[in-house]
Amino acid sequence: MWSLIPSTTAVTISRLIQSTPPPLLLLALLTVTLGIASLFYLALFIVAPVPRLPRASEKRFTTVTLTGQPSTPQRLSCWVDAWNANREAAGARWDPAAQAKAIDDAEVFLSVVVPAYNEEERLTGMLEEAVEYLQQQEYRAEMQESQKAYATTNGNKRMNGSAAHGSYQRTPPSGWEILIVSDGSTDRTVDVALRFARAHRLGVEGFDKQRLDVGTTSRTLRVVTLESNRGKGGAVTHGMRHVCGAYVLFADADGASTFSDVGKLMSACEAIQDPQGRAVAIGSRAHLVGSEAVVKLTTTTTTPQRSFLRNLLMHSFHLFLRLLTPPATAAIKDTQCGFKLFSRPSLPHIIPFMHSEGWIFDVEMLMLAEAAGIPVAEVAVGWKEVKGSKLNVIWDSLGMAWGLAVLRAAWAFGVYRRY
């Protein structure tokens, strides 16, 4: 470096440094460091994504009526709005440890959130598999032993109106719902979903006319339409703000994951949930890497194989995760599988604090779960590659790497805060 500076100038600078009192040198060093840190924080503040607020039309849903016609848009219940209202009302008295558990009681046993962007070709197949499985289940109002123990210890506290701190409700409800979030689709995704609901009578059996302004109950398919594309993360988060289930699954619209494996996720949740009923179980495709039992037929072989590029990117991304994420998240072998299950008490620790609306949102969910001390289980699930993916393997992978770096820095340096 000094060789690039004229000798007379270098001598002058050296003498100036030697003649400057050490305290003044230290002050100058601290000033420069603080300036660089401030510029870094400002740049991070600018580039860190900020999710847009939901618009009025996006807080409404459509289903099918008793006559099989699309219903007029009806208001969606939103547990996050009630949670935020409680937080604002409490002001300085707001207790994060207690208030984070305040969430309305579930109305159905399982909610399924399906983000869909121009999925008219693939959505029906996914819904067929999901509904076939769900209709075979008997989600009655029965309790697991762990839920009984918690209810016995804590009594039958229930959220109603502005109830203070909430708890896990004594009797989980029965039934299920599917909430399709059309993420600014420009094709016939919404029409396909409603046609499916009509054919399977999902808007009839679950359509409670007396509670139309609040939502619906057992065995219902509802469609929410976002005015513009927000990204997969934005669509999933929006859907999870409005779910009614004791358990909440988000599943990709392509049907790549074996839907019946939701039973495995539910068993995992029940096995690991903490005394507050919090648990997350995530589907994993890690066991498929390097296996012949996978999914894709190429033109050069009749043996199903997972593409080399996907395997390479999966390993590279996992290495990047290990470098940038906290320990528990870094230990997860497959963070990106679009098949994740959440118990209802875990939602207030995650959903109100989501920022990422792109492909990297899964990692933010897992980081938030880790920060809140929520148990997370990784469960091997069936999976197959399905044509029509919106993912550009090269560019979206680079975008995910950038998004992860910004996300981690924003949380680490206080641009994002939980409380």
Side-chain angles (χ1 to χ4, degrees):
M1 172 180 174
W2 290 105
S3 62
L4 301 177
I5 303 176
S7 58
T8 55
T9 304
V11 170
T12 302
I13 293 175
S14 177
R15 289 176 178 176
L16 179 62
I17 293 175
Q18 292 175 2
S19 63
T20 303
L24 189 58
L25 282 176
L26 180 61
L27 179 61
L29 179 61
L30 289 175
T31 301
V32 171
T33 302
L34 181 61
I36 294 174
S38 299
L39 289 175
F40 174 79
Y41 185 88
L42 178 61
L44 186 60
F45 187 85
I46 293 172
V47 301
V50 178
R52 69 168 174 83
L53 295 175
R55 297 164 184 166
S57 67
E58 297 171 347
K59 291 190 173 186
R60 294 179 173 274
F61 73 91
T62 305
T63 185
V64 292
T65 65
L66 295 172
T67 62
Q69 299 301 313
S71 68
T72 57
Q74 305 296 328
R75 185 177 67 87
L76 273 170
S77 59
C78 181
W79 64 265
V80 175
D81 287 348
W83 185 87
N84 283 330
N86 287 339
R87 177 177 177 175
E88 293 175 3
R93 296 178 289 104
W94 192 72
D95 178 5
Q99 288 287 346
K101 295 181 291 185
I103 182 172
D104 297 339
D105 280 348
E107 297 178 23
V108 295
F109 186 80
L110 176 65
S111 293
V112 181
V113 175
V114 183
Y117 175 63
N118 291 344
E119 292 288 358
E120 64 177 356
E121 298 294 334
R122 304 191 296 179
L123 183 60
T124 299
M126 179 271 172
L127 291 176
E128 290 281 3
E129 182 182 357
V131 170
E132 180 181 3
Y133 173 80
L134 292 171
Q135 288 180 336
Q136 295 173 359
Q137 307 309 304
E138 296 182 357
Y139 292 138
R140 298 194 190 96
E142 297 176 351
M143 299 185 66
Q144 303 299 325
E145 291 301 320
S146 56
Q147 296 168 345
K148 290 180 182 178
Y150 181 73
T152 301
T153 302
N154 292 273
N156 191 25
K157 301 175 184 177
R158 297 177 61 87
M159 280 296 298
N160 55 60
S162 59
H165 296 163
S167 78
Y168 202 82
Q169 66 192 75
R170 178 177 292 276
T171 305
S174 59
W176 46 268
E177 64 168 351
I178 297 176
L179 188 63
I180 296 174
V181 183
S182 175
D183 188 19
S185 297
T186 57
D187 66 355
R188 297 182 302 112
T189 294
V190 172
D191 294 336
V192 168
L194 292 176
R195 186 167 65 245
F196 182 90
R198 180 168 59 250
H200 291 76
R201 299 179 60 81
L202 296 180
V204 175
E205 295 183 31
F207 210 79
D208 185 341
K209 291 183 289 184
Q210 295 180 350
R211 292 194 51 134
L212 196 56
D213 63 324
V214 176
T216 57
T217 54
S218 173
R219 300 181 55 158
T220 304
L221 186 149
R222 296 182 289 169
V223 180
V224 179
T225 301
L226 302 185
E227 293 182 9
S228 59
N229 181 264
R230 296 182 61 172
K232 181 181 175 182
V236 170
T237 301
H238 184 81
M240 295 181 75
R241 290 168 58 95
H242 299 92
V243 290
C244 302
Y247 288 95
V248 179
L249 173 77
F250 86 75
D252 287 347
D254 60 2
S257 298
T258 303
F259 193 88
S260 59
D261 283 343
V262 68
K264 296 181 182 179
L265 301 187
M266 206 166 289
S267 296
C269 272
E270 292 169 354
I272 66 171
Q273 66 181 10
D274 63 14
Q276 300 176 42
R278 306 181 308 167
V280 177
I282 64 173
S284 175
R285 305 157 295 181
H287 63 293
L288 301 177
V289 177
S291 169
E292 293 185 355
V294 204
V295 284
K296 183 178 180 180
L297 289 173
T298 68
T299 57
T300 59
T301 179
T302 57
T303 303
Q305 295 180 353
R306 193 160 195 258
S307 66
F308 170 78
L309 185 57
R310 282 184 177 271
N311 284 338
L312 175 64
L313 290 173
M314 185 176 185
H315 285 299
S316 301
F317 184 71
H318 185 57
L319 176 61
F320 201 47
L321 278 173
R322 290 181 64 87
L323 296 174
L324 292 183
T325 57
T329 302
I332 294 173
K333 296 179 180 179
D334 181 11
T335 59
Q336 301 308 112
C337 182
F339 201 65
K340 293 180 172 65
L341 183 74
F342 302 76
S343 67
R344 191 170 185 81
S346 69
L347 297 183
H349 301 265
I350 299 173
I351 301 305
F353 309 107
M354 288 291 296
H355 294 83
S356 177
E357 298 199 321
W359 297 105
I360 204 65
F361 79 99
D362 304 74
V363 177
E364 185 172 26
M365 283 184 164
L366 296 172
M367 287 171 54
L368 287 168
E370 180 176 356
I374 299 173
V376 177
E378 186 172 9
V379 181
V381 297
W383 188 84
K384 59 183 180 295
E385 292 197 37
V386 180
K387 293 181 179 179
S389 174
K390 309 297 187 302
L391 181 71
N392 183 304
V393 176
I394 302 298
W395 289 109
D396 286 329
S397 295
L398 293 174
M400 288 169 64
W402 166 256
L404 176 59
V406 171
L407 181 68
R408 188 67 176 107
W411 279 107
F413 291 97
V415 174
Y416 296 158
R417 298 180 183 179
R418 289 178 44 121
Y419 304 117

